[in-house]
Amino acid sequence: MQPGMVRGTVGGVINYCNRVVPISCCAAKAIMSRRLHARRLDGIDKNIWVEFTQLAADYKPVNLGQGFPDFSPPAFIQEAFCKAVSGDCSMHQYTRAFGHPHLVKNLAKFFGRVMDRDVDPFEDILVTVGAYQALFCTFQALIDEGDEVIVIEPFFDCYQPMVKMAGGTTVYVPLRPKTNDGKALSSADWVLNAEELESKFTPRTKALVFNTPNNPLGKVFQREELKVIADLCVKHDVICISDEVYEWLTYDGNKHVKIASLPGMWERTVTIGSAGKTFSATGWKVGWAMGSGHILKHLKTVHQNSVYHCATAAQEAVAAGFQREYECFGKEDSYFLQLPATLHHKRLRLAKCLQSVGLQPILPQGGYFMIADVSSLKVDLTDPTTAGEPYDYRIVKWLIKEKGLATIPVSAFFSPEHQKDFQNYIRFCFVKEDSTLKAAEDIIQQWSEKK
Ligand code: IK2
């Protein structure tokens, strides 16, 4: 037993933080002489969300870290959830494995309209435990040992470990600022070089994954940019995985375009969505994968042999949400218009605050994150517990512990090759109450005055 730990829980010990640590973690070496964990887990045991969510829980900072709203979902969807749990007893029981019928029918109807095509509710959609599980099913179902997956960076961090667990290798292609003079002040200035992208395709390339609007940069890929990606996917016979969890959050006239709607792409694209991001209910963990049934059937095989199905009542509520949004599509009371309108102001407010202390944020065209180089502000990095970590990790930890403000280090969204270029950047989340943004502004102001 390690110092500071006490016995007291069946199958575990309690550590300093009152958390139960399974005996297997502490004493595995003593019990087993053979290798315990599967090789596919090598090097992927750290997770930024686990680490920084715990820090936020421990230090209780003003939280502009993980991407979730600190306000409630709209009343109509809360009411739909209450109705689901208090009504028919079937809402408390298993439903169809690949998606509650009411939900898949509404998703098919809604996205069929958006894409102007027939979407088969029972063939072309899989409902999952958040977009996270949709991604997991996609990689497990489609990637084999030796396959390569092209990842456009910056990228949502879980793509890399998920590809690795499936036996594949990630090959990165970066969005690069159009100019090198430090004037890339909008996410629109970050572009993909078509030749560089094409150079990454090899006979082993099985899939390409990207995210629009992008987390953390906020880039909204324009139709012409999507066409470049689409043409290369068709030319090299590659599957496209399009992570669109922030699809309703675009600003300044930018429009989200679904790559699956481009010619020849429906047949080779898996589109990933999230009700958590869509209806400001991230804790419900309802997501989906959508695409041609001939691809989706393989994702369903992974799903039926792992999770099997997702919470019925939450699916019923999300179904009601999409039904409502179908009815008020494009109208003033659509939540899909109201949320970005609200966030547009919060985005400008945060940008103004950062600029007022001499920082140059990259203004996002979409999503609910903003990144900024904070190296001009004073930081005391003497904490020995973070020594050896990337600079942005150390800044973020110092900010949480010493200033009471949580953000996220940006290098976590880059490949090892490009991480060093972004170690001065941190990510701020602005899907927060104005009072939270005000509290963060006060901390940022006070931080800059201490320089
Ligand atoms: N894909 C992207 C691009 C995401 O950003 C997320 C959720 N990210 O939230 C953490 C953060 O960046 O602060 C997901 C997928 C997963 O979505 P879901 O919550 O529906 O599983």
Side-chain angles (χ1 to χ4, degrees), residues 49 65-67 129-133 135 156 159 211 215 243 245-246 273-274 276-277 282 285-287 369 413 427:
W49 311 113
Q66 200 180 12
V129 183
Y132 236 102
Q133 196 225 338
L135 287 161
F156 187 52
Y159 304 161
N211 168 220
N215 175 10
D243 181 342
V245 300
Y246 302 103
S274 165
K277 303 293 181 178
T282 58
K285 286 300 271 185
V286 175
F369 306 110
F413 299 87
R427 191 196 77 175

Side-chain angles (χ1 to χ4, degrees), residues 148-152 169-173 200-202 205:
E148 290 177 358
V149 178
I150 297 176
V151 180
I152 298 180
T169 310
T170 38
V171 175
Y172 300 98
V173 59
K200 304 291 174 178
F201 284 80
T202 75
T205 308

Side-chain angles (χ1 to χ4, degrees), residues 322-382:
F322 272 102
Q323 194 166 0
R324 178 201 185 266
E325 289 299 311
Y326 186 89
E327 281 152 20
C328 60
F329 192 74
K331 298 195 188 126
E332 244 175 47
D333 53 347
S334 163
Y335 189 65
F336 297 170
L337 293 181
Q338 285 171 352
L339 183 60
T342 307
L343 292 184
H344 165 70
H345 296 293
K346 294 181 189 291
R347 175 185 72 125
L348 294 183
R349 176 180 184 157
L350 177 62
K352 204 167 149 200
C353 163
L354 296 174
Q355 281 154 354
S356 75
V357 298
L359 301 179
Q360 287 200 333
I362 295 175
L363 199 66
Q365 300 155 285
Y368 44 50
F369 306 110
M370 186 179 299
I371 71 171
D373 179 339
V374 292
S375 56
S376 61
L377 297 186
K378 189 173 173 354
V379 190
D380 173 16
L381 294 187
T382 50

Side-chain angles (χ1 to χ4, degrees), residues 38-49 132 135-137 139-140 143 149 151 155-172 209 412-416 419:
R39 262 176 238 289
R40 64 181 165 274
L41 303 188
D42 279 349
I44 60 169
D45 53 333
K46 283 213 159 173
N47 177 291
I48 186 174
W49 311 113
Y132 236 102
L135 287 161
F136 184 78
C137 288
F139 291 121
Q140 281 295 317
I143 303 307
V149 178
V151 180
F155 60 92
F156 187 52
D157 63 306
C158 73
Y159 304 161
Q160 187 274 333
M162 285 188 186
V163 170
K164 181 180 190 304
M165 278 192 280
T169 310
T170 38
V171 175
Y172 300 98
V209 58
F413 299 87
F414 285 87
S415 60
Q419 267 166 10

